[in-house]
Amino acid sequence: MTAIPGPRALAPRLDQLAAAVRARSALVPRIGIVLGSGLGRLGERIEDPVAIPYAELPGWPAPTAQGHAGRLILGRLDGIPVACLQGRFHCYEGHDVLTVVEPALLLGRLGAPEILLTNAAGGVDPTFTAGTLMLITDHLNLTGRSPLLGPNDDAVGPRFLDLTAAWDRDLAERLRVAARSEGIPLAEGTYAGLLGPTYETPAEVRMLRTLGAHAVGMSTVLEAIAARWAGMRVCGISLVTNPGAGISPTPLSHAEVIAAADAAGPRLEAVVRAFLRELPAP
Ligand code: HPA
């Protein structure tokens, strides 16, 4: 059996990645933002952008998921310095778990004390329709993976990480206030992260509801764990692109997911921008 590299392997990788970014931009982000499937357009709004395709960063593959541009963009959004990941790596693409979490950790290494994770998700709560925005208040990690397996790097984070407040309550409240100020409804709930790449069976969606999930997707939870481990404060919003399998009688398709994300994207963008404008100094 091969040894698991573990989070200790991340520190030199992050140094190498940060150096590559610093060769192109000195910007220190106030917050890191991860844009999920179909949500990348917020990245186009960044002023004075320095955009770095993932394939130009050492060791990063080009993303394969459709709807993911695959760029790190540094610049300002409404005057706030941000580092934005337009697209992410997923385990279902065949990437190991450390590759999946490196981008989120890199944002922290560049100086972002906070991270906002967004994703496209299926609705498990039967009241959620396509286009529902859901504040993530907690998660279920059902991927069967953890980025923290293997030798720990105590200089970065603890061996046994407390996840009681994985999803930061103060940032969550700020997102609620931002949505309210824009007149945009914001549901809340627990995001279940699964490995994918299949969508769920109707029985799995019923199981997830029994487990207390409100939305389901194939990302986010591993990044949230890694970012918390590295001491970042984490918040997030799911854009529900479809009722989960079996709730809607029609089959699910990636095209439907992308179309719904495109349609609701401007509302998510408005919430995020209102949130950024009111962020206090770190
Ligand atoms: N299941 C899992 N991931 C998803 C879904 C879904 O129904 N919709 C968008 N991402």
Side-chain angles (χ1 to χ4, degrees):
M1 190 172 140
T2 49
I4 296 170
R8 200 159 67 199
L10 284 167
R13 283 283 307 137
L14 296 174
D15 288 340
Q16 191 188 17
L17 286 160
V21 173
R22 286 295 172 235
R24 296 167 72 162
S25 168
L27 183 128
V28 177
R30 168 68 188 82
I31 187 166
I33 305 175
V34 181
L35 298 171
S37 298
L39 302 173
R41 271 177 315 182
L42 188 64
E44 316 298 333
R45 310 276 183 262
I46 294 176
E47 302 133 36
D48 304 323
V50 172
I52 308 175
Y54 292 164
E56 292 178 19
L57 287 171
W60 280 13
T64 64
Q66 284 166 29
H68 284 252
R71 303 189 301 172
L72 166 63
I73 308 177
L74 298 116
R76 285 172 188 275
L77 251 181
D78 298 317
I80 310 294
V82 295
C84 201
L85 293 162
Q86 227 176 13
R88 48 158 66 93
F89 304 125
H90 306 81
C91 288
Y92 67 71
E93 294 171 273
H95 300 310
D96 64 73
V97 66
L98 297 184
T99 301
V100 170
V101 302
E102 266 180 13
L105 291 176
L106 174 60
L107 302 184
R109 201 43 90 101
L110 295 173
E114 289 159 2
I115 190 164
L116 169 67
L117 302 170
T118 70
N119 58 52
V124 173
D125 183 319
T127 68
F128 290 179
T129 52
T132 297
L133 297 181
M134 186 193 87
L135 173 70
I136 303 173
T137 54
D138 208 344
H139 75 231
L140 292 167
N141 175 13
L142 301 175
T143 64
R145 311 278 163 100
S146 169
L148 305 185
L149 288 180
N152 192 58
D153 186 345
D154 296 335
V156 181
R159 167 80 294 183
F160 298 109
L161 175 68
D162 171 49
L163 291 177
T164 309
W167 295 86
D168 190 86
R169 296 199 180 101
D170 173 56
L171 292 176
E173 184 56 22
R174 290 177 180 283
L175 284 166
R176 285 187 197 101
V177 169
R180 218 175 294 135
S181 73
E182 295 291 307
I184 294 171
L186 185 61
E188 336 203 324
T190 296
Y191 173 89
L194 276 64
L195 210 47
T198 62
Y199 294 118
E200 298 67 39
T201 63
E204 286 164 346
V205 170
R206 287 195 301 275
M207 172 190 76
L208 293 170
R209 195 181 317 146
T210 303
L211 294 179
H214 301 89
V216 57
M218 307 172 195
S219 68
T220 304
V221 294
L222 300 172
E223 294 152 66
I225 291 168
R228 267 317 285 152
W229 173 71
M232 298 172 83
R233 301 201 300 152
V234 178
C235 62
I237 295 181
S238 289
L239 193 165
V240 175
T241 53
N242 55 280
I247 297 178
S248 146
T250 53
L252 309 186
S253 74
H254 187 62
E256 171 193 9
V257 167
I258 297 297
D262 276 349
R267 274 187 292 123
L268 179 59
E269 182 181 320
V271 174
V272 172
R273 293 179 79 161
F275 166 77
L276 291 179
R277 285 194 295 271
E278 298 301 327
L279 267 185

